[in-house]
């Protein structure tokens, strides 16, 4: 079936043949691959062109069973089909008093997508990214072979696939460590922070004491208020912290969206609406509140309450710009916020998180430091600002996140990812005929 597919940003849709298949059909599908090749797709939550393949084949999520076992040392291990969403996986795990080791800002991503982008959560400073929590993954490579690869058994292929944006093969299943928890709630400390310098100081001094940390930033604030923020840090709630509804139903799994945006309205995310929203959001946050019980959905995935919220950005769609810079380069974050505020571009969602040391993934995004993510209404006028930001990030020794990217040039990408050529070489050896292709892969000459 020919389908017009886009990323979450809805900026550059392309047509491909969308194929629904079972894991055992994948080798035959690869043998039939036409010149434009094949790419696996999850739930399409990457913002740009990673899960698109213009004129080629796109493979829909592969479903299958989920099982939980214990390793010899008692660590709970979950084996799950790659097309399973984290929403469904959380429901299975919470029923067994477990939680996913890493969750992004939405539960509607698949395990395959989580591996291919090596996603990070609000706990990267402590637990690393999704790839760090994997024991092994099952991968069908271009020759049609199903291989089980792990960080010890085949480190080269494992660390090319973690963060490899689907270009090393089709992941059919994975085994990962699960996290024992005492409830489906978190205890959250919230504080309002008047500016970027205080924010950096507080995160640097205090994040290690928490499992999770994230700061929402008002990007329209300027001058002494530049980077004013609401910092929320949390730990899994213990059984004795539960009160009220949480005590009555401690294992309530997150539910589906409560409302939907049924059509694409004219873009509602404008400078006045964002300014008004940011003001209210900042003022309504408590100056300092400790130990508030929040559900998993409320703390980790507030946007999931609204289905198709990306439509609110109108027909042009949106772009996300997510950068990371090394730990001692926090001035680059301040400068990026200044560039954004001076340009007067409204970013409704801007978040700052701290990353731990990163892993050997050839194209993995995290590195020890600061990551700033900005959602912006798409506009041709953003080009010059993005180029200024790219230069700032490069100068600081940082990079941009491929799962959010839709516009990097191969030259800038290569300057940001020093192992890009190692990835290309591995691809040439593993997939000489170029069976795996995507719009992103062609754009970045991977
Ligand atoms: C609201 C929102 C919040 C987000 N927050 C975060 C965050 O906090 N942290 C973070 O890291 N990311 C975040 N993301 C990005 C998201 O986690 C990643 O883009 C993730 O890859 C999306 O998974 P998906 O299943 O939708 O995959 P898709 O977007 O469909 O695909 C992403 C990539 O995975 C590959 N892929 C998918 N399935 C397979 C498979 N079976 N085998 C091989 N390759 C495969 C695709 O080829 C593609 O390259 C967020 C996205 C949204 C929309």
């Amino acid at each position: 079936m020919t389908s017009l597919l886009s990323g979450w940003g809805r900026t550059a849709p392309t047509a491909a043949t969308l194929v629904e298949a079972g894991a055992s059909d994948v080798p035959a599908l690869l043998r039939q691959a036409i010149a434009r090749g094949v790419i696996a797709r999850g739930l399409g939550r990457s913002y740009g062109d990673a899960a698109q393949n213009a004129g080629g084949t796109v493979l829909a999520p592969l479903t299958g069973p989920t099982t939980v076992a214990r390793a010899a040392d008692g660590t709970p291990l979950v084996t799950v089909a790659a097309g399973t969403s984290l929403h469904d996986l959380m429901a299975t795990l919470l029923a067994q008093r477990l939680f996913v080791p890493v969750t992004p800002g939405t539960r509607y991503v698949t395990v395959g997508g989580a591996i291919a982008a090596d996603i990070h959560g609000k706990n990267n400073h402590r637990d690393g990214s999704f790839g760090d929590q994997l024991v092994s993954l099952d991968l069908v490579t271009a020759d049609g072979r199903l291989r089980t690869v792990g960080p010890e058994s085949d480190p080269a292929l494992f660390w090319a696939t973690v963060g490899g944006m689907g270009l090393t093969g089709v992941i059919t299943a994975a085994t990962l460590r699960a996290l024992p928890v005492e409830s489906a709630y978190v205890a959250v400390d919230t504080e309002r922070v008047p500016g970027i310098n205080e924010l950096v100081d507080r995160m640097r001094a205090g994040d290690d004491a928490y499992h999770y940390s994230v700061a929402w930033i008002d990007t329209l604030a300027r001058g002494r208020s530049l980077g004013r923020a609401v910092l929320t840090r949390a730990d899994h709630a213990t059984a004795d912290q539960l009160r009220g509804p949480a005590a009555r139903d401690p294992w309530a799994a997150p539910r589906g969206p409560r409302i939907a945006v049924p059509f694409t309205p004219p873009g509602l995310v404008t400078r006045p609406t964002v300014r008004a929203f940011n003001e209210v959001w900042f003022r309504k946050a408590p100056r300092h509140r400790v130990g508030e019980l929040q559900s998993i959905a409320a703390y980790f995935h507030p946007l999931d309450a609204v289905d198709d919220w990306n439509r609110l950005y109108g027909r042009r769609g949106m772009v996300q710009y997510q950068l990371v810079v090394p730990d001692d380069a926090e001035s680059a974050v301040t400068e990026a916020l200044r560039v954004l505020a001076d340009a007067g571009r409204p970013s409704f969602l801007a978040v700052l998180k701290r990353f731990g040391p990163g892993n050997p993934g050839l194209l993995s995004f995290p590195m020890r430091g600061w990551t700033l993510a900005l959602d912006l209404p798409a506009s041709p006028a953003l080009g010059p600002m993005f180029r200024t930001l790219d230069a700032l990030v490069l100068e600081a020794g940082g990079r941009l996140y491929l799962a959010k990217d839709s516009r990097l040039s191969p030259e800038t990408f290569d300057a940001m990812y020093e192992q890009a050529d190692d990835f290309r070489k591995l691809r040439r050896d593993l997939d000489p005929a170029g069976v795996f292709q995507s719009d992103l892969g062609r754009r970045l000459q991977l």
Side-chain angles (χ1 to χ4, degrees), residues 154-234:
D154 191 342
L157 186 52
F158 179 83
W159 289 115
T161 302
V162 168
M165 304 309 285
L167 292 166
T168 60
V170 176
I171 303 160
T172 58
T175 298
L176 58 141
R177 285 177 277 278
L179 179 75
V181 287
E182 287 187 40
S183 72
Y185 288 83
V186 284
V188 185
D189 292 354
T190 304
E191 47 195 305
R192 260 198 251 167
V193 189
I196 185 66
N197 293 339
E198 297 86 335
L199 180 63
V200 163
D201 289 348
R202 285 194 211 179
M203 290 176 81
R204 201 171 254 149
D207 272 11
D208 289 346
Y210 291 89
H211 202 129
Y212 302 102
S213 170
V214 64
W216 166 87
I217 295 183
D218 176 1
T219 51
L220 287 178
R222 304 181 66 172
R224 283 179 45 211
S225 298
L226 184 81
R228 71 176 179 171
V230 179
L231 176 60
T232 55
R233 298 188 280 196

Side-chain angles (χ1 to χ4, degrees), residues 97-438:
R97 308 191 166 202
L98 298 168
F99 191 54
V100 294
V102 170
T103 176
T106 169
R107 302 185 294 285
Y108 296 105
V109 302
T110 61
V111 169
I115 297 170
D118 193 19
I119 62 164
H120 55 272
K122 299 173 174 55
N123 57 337
N124 191 275
H125 62 287
R126 189 194 126 117
D127 300 324
S129 50
F130 208 83
D132 294 302
Q133 301 300 330
L134 279 177
V135 176
S136 66
L137 53 88
D138 292 348
L139 183 74
V140 183
T141 44
D143 54 8
R145 259 178 67 195
L146 173 65
R147 312 172 193 220
T148 298
V149 292
E152 270 94 47
S153 65
D154 191 342
L157 186 52
F158 179 83
W159 289 115
T161 302
V162 168
M165 304 309 285
L167 292 166
T168 60
V170 176
I171 303 160
T172 58
T175 298
L176 58 141
R177 285 177 277 278
L179 179 75
V181 287
E182 287 187 40
S183 72
Y185 288 83
V186 284
V188 185
D189 292 354
T190 304
E191 47 195 305
R192 260 198 251 167
V193 189
I196 185 66
N197 293 339
E198 297 86 335
L199 180 63
V200 163
D201 289 348
R202 285 194 211 179
M203 290 176 81
R204 201 171 254 149
D207 272 11
D208 289 346
Y210 291 89
H211 202 129
Y212 302 102
S213 170
V214 64
W216 166 87
I217 295 183
D218 176 1
T219 51
L220 287 178
R222 304 181 66 172
R224 283 179 45 211
S225 298
L226 184 81
R228 71 176 179 171
V230 179
L231 176 60
T232 55
R233 298 188 280 196
D235 289 304
H236 288 280
T238 53
D240 59 0
Q241 286 177 308
L242 302 180
R243 304 277 179 274
R248 284 195 292 281
D249 188 5
W251 299 103
R255 286 196 243 139
R258 269 176 280 153
I259 47 169
V261 180
F263 63 94
T264 304
L268 297 176
V269 183
T270 60
R271 204 174 138 82
T273 56
V274 171
R275 185 178 291 287
F277 171 86
N278 285 6
E279 194 61 37
V280 170
W281 192 261
F282 186 74
R283 299 266 162 234
K284 102 171 176 28
R287 263 179 218 289
H288 195 193
R289 179 175 58 200
V290 177
E292 187 203 11
L293 275 183
Q294 285 186 17
S295 67
I296 280 165
Y299 181 68
F300 293 104
H301 321 115
L303 293 166
D304 284 349
V306 183
D307 208 12
D308 292 329
W309 60 262
N310 51 348
R311 289 183 173 162
L312 297 174
Y313 281 79
R315 288 199 184 286
R316 272 189 179 166
M318 66 167 148
V319 281
Q320 185 167 113
Y321 190 95
Q322 183 167 0
L323 63 88
V324 60
V325 290
D327 206 20
D328 57 3
E330 73 265 22
S331 58
V333 172
T334 308
E335 195 46 38
L337 290 172
R338 192 166 293 129
V339 168
L340 192 73
D342 287 350
R345 293 278 153 200
S347 178
F348 163 71
L349 272 178
V351 296
L352 184 70
K353 291 183 273 205
R354 292 192 79 207
F355 277 166
N359 63 35
L362 296 182
L363 302 186
S364 202
F365 170 63
M367 61 162 77
R368 189 187 289 288
W370 302 92
T371 182
L372 178 68
L374 310 161
D375 268 359
L376 295 152
S379 156
L382 287 172
M385 184 184 82
F386 282 152
R387 284 191 289 280
T388 305
L389 292 175
D390 289 349
L392 197 71
V393 172
L394 268 175
E395 172 74 27
R399 57 194 173 220
L400 301 190
Y401 189 14
L402 291 185
K404 308 290 179 70
D405 175 57
S406 51
R407 49 161 289 278
L408 268 181
S409 68
E411 294 74 29
T412 316
F413 165 75
D414 278 23
M416 291 177 171
Y417 282 82
E418 57 192 22
Q419 300 189 90
D421 277 341
D422 297 339
F423 184 80
R424 289 189 182 101
K425 178 171 182 325
L426 183 134
R427 283 245 305 150
R428 275 197 301 274
D429 295 345
L430 189 69
D431 182 8
V435 169
F436 292 106
Q437 295 186 38
S438 67

